Amino acid sequence: MDKIYTREELLDMYRNLKFGRLFTLKMHEAVYKGLIRSSFHTPYGQEAIGVGVVSAMRKTDWLAYTHRFQTGMIMRYDPYGFIAELFGLYDGIKNGTAFDYHLADLSETGKHILFILGTLGGTIPMNTGFAWARKKQGKDDVCVVVHGDGGCSEGAAYEGWNLAALQKTPNVYVIVNNGWAMTVPLRRESAVKDISAKAAACGLPAQIANGNDILEVRQVMERALEMARNGQPNVVEFKTLRWEAHFVGQGNDYRDDKDAIEQGMENDDCVKNFEQLLVKQGVLDQAYIDRFTAEAQQQLNEMVDRAAKSRKATYDEIYTMEHLYATPETGGNL
């Protein structure tokens, strides 16, 4: 890509990307240790998308994430609180009641994390409406809605895209096309390989990019955000490959693309390739990589050990008016 980033910007992207990979591996380990008792949908191999997208956003922009976007979430949330939330314990961001799939922070001074739905594709129209409301309020922030290839086959997606095109809502729709919708390969759930063509049919311009190249992810997102801020909602489709099963522990026996996974791990690893590029450019060296890796691993080990010692929230702490009716009228705080 043609944009030049400063050394500090490159190092910041690298640190977030490397930490995201180490976090991913640590949480994979935590599942098998029994520390994560819910499903963990690993972003293994897709970390560049989360980091690149969030790096391009302003802090005032809003993020509607997915169950496989943890590397972007820990750039906005405190990683320790996020880990404790994954463990379902009191030190978590929502005291262990939301895990990683139902976090939100709608405060103007907060993290600007939007609600998402367990209903496939439902996040798209809901957060198109949110962006429309922000536009009516005269705000200049953008609402980034992340979803997978499977969600784009739902009718709700078309409703959201069509509304965005009609009302010129400040939205960027990020399609993470990793080739699999749970256990269904793309070829069996979409007649077109470029899913963004579906949104283009609703009147939204689209960009297609390599989701394993963090610099390409960031630059394409910066362009998309600028378009949305200037009244043109749009779509970005990032092509990648899901290396593991839908969730950790499920197993990949149903996959018929194991050769592609092996080749991706060897030749298209977003972390390894970015490291090699930065070493070649003289931005960092092996000593820096080794030092940062050791420090990050120590931090993650300490976070996991500390979080595991936290307690569960009590019944009375969970079932409060604030948690059940989180509205200004009831004194609720999202």
Side-chain angles (χ1 to χ4, degrees), residues 169-184:
T169 60
N171 282 108
V172 175
Y173 300 96
V174 173
I175 302 173
V176 180
N177 184 355
N178 65 18
W180 288 84
M182 296 183 72
T183 59
V184 181

Side-chain angles (χ1 to χ4, degrees), residues 65-76:
Y65 62 106
T66 72
H67 55 289
R68 211 179 301 279
F69 205 74
Q70 295 93 337
T71 54
M73 294 291 282
I74 58 175
M75 290 173 64
R76 289 211 163 184

Side-chain angles (χ1 to χ4, degrees), residues 113-298:
I113 303 295
L114 294 172
F115 281 112
I116 62 172
L117 298 176
T119 305
L120 194 64
T123 299
I124 299 172
M126 179 174 72
N127 289 310
T128 300
F130 181 89
W132 191 10
R134 298 295 290 181
K135 177 182 176 180
K136 286 181 171 293
Q137 292 169 354
K139 307 295 184 181
D140 70 343
D141 42 48
V142 175
C143 175
V144 175
V145 183
V146 186
H147 47 95
D149 41 295
C152 300
S153 294
E154 295 293 316
Y158 298 90
E159 294 176 22
W161 293 334
N162 186 61
L163 178 63
L166 283 171
Q167 301 300 332
K168 301 297 182 185
T169 60
N171 282 108
V172 175
Y173 300 96
V174 173
I175 302 173
V176 180
N177 184 355
N178 65 18
W180 288 84
M182 296 183 72
T183 59
V184 181
L186 180 64
R187 68 179 184 276
R188 290 181 56 195
E189 59 104 355
S190 177
V192 294
K193 291 183 178 180
D194 296 336
I195 299 175
S196 51
K198 299 179 181 181
C202 296
L204 297 179
Q207 301 178 79
I208 299 175
N210 178 7
N212 298 331
D213 183 336
I214 188 170
L215 294 180
E216 186 171 339
V217 171
R218 176 162 175 174
Q219 185 162 339
V220 166
M221 271 304 298
E222 288 175 342
R223 188 180 306 127
L225 288 161
E226 183 179 2
M227 290 171 62
R229 227 177 294 280
N230 290 319
Q232 180 57 72
N234 62 96
V235 173
V236 177
E237 178 179 355
F238 290 120
K239 297 291 185 75
T240 184
L241 179 67
R242 198 184 78 201
W243 286 356
E244 293 200 350
H246 180 57
F247 57 88
V248 175
Q250 180 187 33
N252 258 351
D253 291 344
Y254 58 88
R255 298 280 293 265
D256 58 3
D257 60 347
K258 293 183 177 63
D259 288 343
I261 298 173
E262 184 177 343
Q263 292 172 11
M265 288 182 166
E266 180 64 28
N267 302 314
D268 205 15
D269 184 329
C270 60
V271 179
K272 181 175 68 176
N273 288 351
F274 194 45
E275 276 183 347
Q276 292 174 349
L277 175 65
L278 295 184
V279 169
K280 182 178 180 180
Q281 293 180 345
V283 175
L284 49 74
D285 55 20
Q286 191 60 48
Y288 184 97
I289 294 172
D290 293 342
R291 183 171 64 253
F292 180 80
T293 300
E295 291 173 354
Q297 286 178 330
Q298 182 179 351

Side-chain angles (χ1 to χ4, degrees), residues 10-82:
L10 292 170
L11 284 174
D12 187 59
M13 280 188 276
Y14 170 72
R15 287 189 290 261
N16 282 312
L17 184 62
K18 185 70 171 186
F19 187 85
R21 168 61 59 83
L22 296 172
F23 164 87
T24 297
L25 296 174
K26 195 68 179 175
M27 294 307 100
H28 188 285
E29 178 184 300
V31 172
Y32 287 102
K33 286 186 175 180
L35 295 172
I36 297 178
R37 294 175 293 280
S38 62
S39 297
F40 181 71
H41 306 85
T42 175
Y44 189 32
Q46 302 177 196
E47 295 93 343
I49 297 175
V51 175
V53 167
V54 175
S55 293
M57 296 170 64
R58 296 178 184 174
K59 290 185 178 180
T60 52
D61 290 333
W62 297 84
L63 174 65
Y65 62 106
T66 72
H67 55 289
R68 211 179 301 279
F69 205 74
Q70 295 93 337
T71 54
M73 294 291 282
I74 58 175
M75 290 173 64
R76 289 211 163 184
Y77 278 122
D78 165 51
Y80 169 71
F82 195 89

